[in-house]
Amino acid sequence: MMNILYADIKRKWNDFFDEYDYNEEINKLRAEYPDERSIYVSFKDISSYNGEFASDLLKNPSVYLSLGDGYIREITGIAPQRNGHANIRLADIPDIPGIKYGIRNVRAMHRNSYISITGIIRKSTEVLPRYNTAAFKCPACGEYTYVSQETDRLAYAKSCSMCGYDKGKLTLVVDESELVDTQKLEIQEDPNNIDGTSQPQRLTVIMEDDIAGKVYPGDRVTIYGILKTKNRRIGTALLPELDTYLYANNFRKELHDFEDITISTEDEKKIIELSKDPNIIHRLSESIAPSIYGLDIIKKALVLQLFGGVRKTMADGIKIRGDIHILMVGDPGTAKSQLLKSMSMISPRSVFALGKGSSAAGLTAAAVRDDFGEGRWTLEAGALVLADKGFVAIDELDKMDQRDISAMHEAMEQQTVTIAKAGIMATLNSRCSILAAANPKFGRYDPMKTIAEQIDFPPPLLSRFDIIFKLVDTPDKDRDRLLASHILKENMLGEEYHDSNIPEIEIEFVPAIDRELIRKYVSYAKNNVFPKLSQEAVNILLNKYLESRVSSDGSVPITARQLESPIRLAEASARARLSNIITKEDALLATSIIDYYLKDVSSMNGKVDIDILNTGISSSERHELEVVYETIKEIKANIGKIPDLQHVLEVLQNRGINNEKAMSDLERLKAMGQIYEPTAKKIDVIK
Ligand code: ADP
Ligand code: MG
């Protein structure tokens, strides 16, 4: 009975290949084997050949596909043993219910059927060979017995299939066995498709033979394959639950941006209508976090971040990111976390992360050896890689791991994460915009200190943010009253509590544009609008740049890289209006935001100094530190021995640096590793 069925399936494959023209593919496989090992067969062809055969194939793919593989091996003359592989891989599988499932909806009833899932690759192991068919040599007759390997433990030959020998062990011979490359992946459902509160679900995927090693963490893929189960055990004891995994037959990388957001012609009409509003950026800014009062300029910057600038490739191949990175530093309770949450709910493809990540991969990526890899090295994507072509909200950035800090430079600027460790060597993409929040080191923001002094964060990383906002909780009666009434009203609305005795509060809460429409608007703009600078805009940006270069007493305040930020913001502003031309107004909005931020965070005594951002030290401070250092050196040379602290302080006093300033400068130099105290009250320089 079973044999007849098998013969029937085989005959149908035969008929199929007779009727449908796959000669080119078959000849290619024959000619280029073993470089080519698969034939991609359109499921549409199979369906039109025989609907019943097609649906049976989906119900029982293991049998149907392996008989198809056997047929291909026969007609191409590829030996069935000794690494003789040929695979039928199904293409054009429709993404329809009954085939395509959400990762969280994969169930026992789908066991052994052909399904597809879509998600982001989170982990991938090294590719290693495994026995597909193990060859055992008989010590008596010298012939081989082949045992096909279907479980996670190696299956041995109990007796020789030729002479029946079963008195002792048969020897495993690698050269005679059939090996197959294998790789284990973990795929995670797209965070966009879940409600934001629950943990994204994951599924293990096995990729074998020529499709192993083709996808990387951070890739968005649809994987087609057979849902299989594997026994779980503790030691040798079997557990009653099974592990499920998808044995991949084919995959498709999702290459288009935001293909997961569908925009109907109806939506498109609404989007174009909205874009005609001259106040669109303001309207959007009021809509992104309506429950947060004030912070208008921050919200405007966040709107620009949603749209982003245009990614560019220079003539020399260097890429300039279009994504806008924003950091908010400030007092507790100033709505930083709330803004992060609002933005991650609106942004397409967003990931919410904590500075101190909960997984080994942290914010960037890591190569780890954990249970998942079963002894193999596993490459695991962190938040910035999972959010490739999307958005990451990072709360408590100041708590970031040391390892991440060093990887962040590359991740933020080149937008890649490179991992080179053990058997793993990979460069993963992290093309995403970052909105981060950090708390000041000493609990509260101290207006007398620079940003760099207030967060435990290397200044060069700080300078990779296009904008840094500080949020200070200063008591202000009028503002407090408005904020309080805003929060009260919001709560009342939340409770749907209407009491006519409560006086009307003058603030309106109706979100101007709903969240779903903003998401569509943003993805529409990012996919269709690539603005270019007008001459007027160039003039404004250039003048601003030149102006700020001379304005700060001789020191070079703004570096060329700082010109990229206003350009990005201006591009985003044009995008938000669905305009392909960056106008004067876009440039002015960009420079006003940059001005606000520079005055806000990088000025000491009202002067803007980019050095504070880049190094944490203003150029005048740096000059003073140099004076102190040189003075110690000079005294030492003059007196021929290590100077006393008192002596140094006196000389510095004469040079216009009072004792209090001098002491804090000395502390700073000590922290920077420039000077040290060999014994108490003596100061020496470190060369
Ligand atoms: P942070 O992360 O800065 O410490 P949170 O985002 O947790 O602060 O905010 C603390 C609370 O204060 C939240 O309930 C938030 O809604 C409220 N809050 C703070 N500032 C504002 C504001 N400007 N408008 C409305 N609510 C605010
Ligand atoms: Mg917070």
Side-chain angles (χ1 to χ4, degrees), residues 291-293 331-338 483 487:
S291 71
I292 305 295
Y293 166 76
D331 292 339
T334 48
K336 298 187 298 298
S337 299
Q338 289 287 350
L483 173 63
I487 292 174

Side-chain angles (χ1 to χ4, degrees), residues 334-347:
T334 48
K336 298 187 298 298
S337 299
Q338 289 287 350
L339 285 172
L340 291 181
K341 287 203 190 98
S342 303
M343 280 290 283
S344 64
M345 282 197 275
I346 290 173
S347 300

Side-chain angles (χ1 to χ4, degrees), residues 336-337 395-396 439:
K336 298 187 298 298
S337 299
D395 208 353
E396 314 203 340
N439 294 307

Side-chain angles (χ1 to χ4, degrees), residues 45 82 124 143 176 178 189 219 233 279 286 294 374 423 471 481 582 600 623 662:
D45 289 348
R82 300 204 50 192
S124 69
E143 291 296 324
E176 200 63 28
E178 180 196 326
E189 59 194 345
D219 285 349
R233 46 178 113 216
N279 278 322
E286 297 224 302
E374 298 162 289
L471 288 109
R481 194 182 63 82
I582 301 165
D600 206 22
H623 179 67

Side-chain angles (χ1 to χ4, degrees), residues 453 604 616-632 645 648-649 652-653 655-677 683-685:
E453 283 176 296
M604 292 283 274
I617 306 171
S618 71
S619 35
S620 55
E621 274 180 298
R622 180 197 308 285
H623 179 67
E624 184 172 308
L625 291 178
E626 269 165 26
V627 169
V628 174
Y629 180 85
E630 289 302 324
T631 303
I632 302 170
L645 173 64
V648 173
L649 290 179
L652 286 175
Q653 176 100 28
R655 292 182 178 179
I657 300 172
N658 70 33
N659 285 356
E660 199 188 329
K661 277 293 292 155
M663 284 305 285
S664 98
D665 290 342
L666 290 172
E667 280 310 313
R668 231 129 156 214
L669 284 167
K670 246 191 265 175
M672 289 159 76
Q674 305 257 24
I675 63 170
Y676 74 117
E677 236 171 307
I683 297 287
D684 196 0
V685 295

Side-chain angles (χ1 to χ4, degrees), residues 38-101:
S38 295
I39 286 187
Y40 289 82
V41 177
S42 170
F43 188 70
K44 280 189 198 134
D45 289 348
I46 299 177
S47 302
S48 73
Y49 157 70
N50 183 331
E52 202 183 330
F53 180 71
S55 76
D56 287 346
L57 165 60
L58 295 181
K59 278 184 223 138
N60 197 358
S62 294
V63 169
Y64 278 68
L65 287 173
S66 70
L67 290 169
D69 293 349
Y71 174 78
I72 293 293
R73 281 204 298 263
E74 259 167 46
I75 55 165
T76 52
I78 295 165
Q81 295 293 344
R82 300 204 50 192
N83 304 326
H85 266 291
N87 314 288
I88 287 185
R89 303 202 184 277
L90 301 179
D92 303 328
I93 298 277
D95 290 330
I96 52 169
I99 298 177
K100 186 171 183 117
Y101 289 92

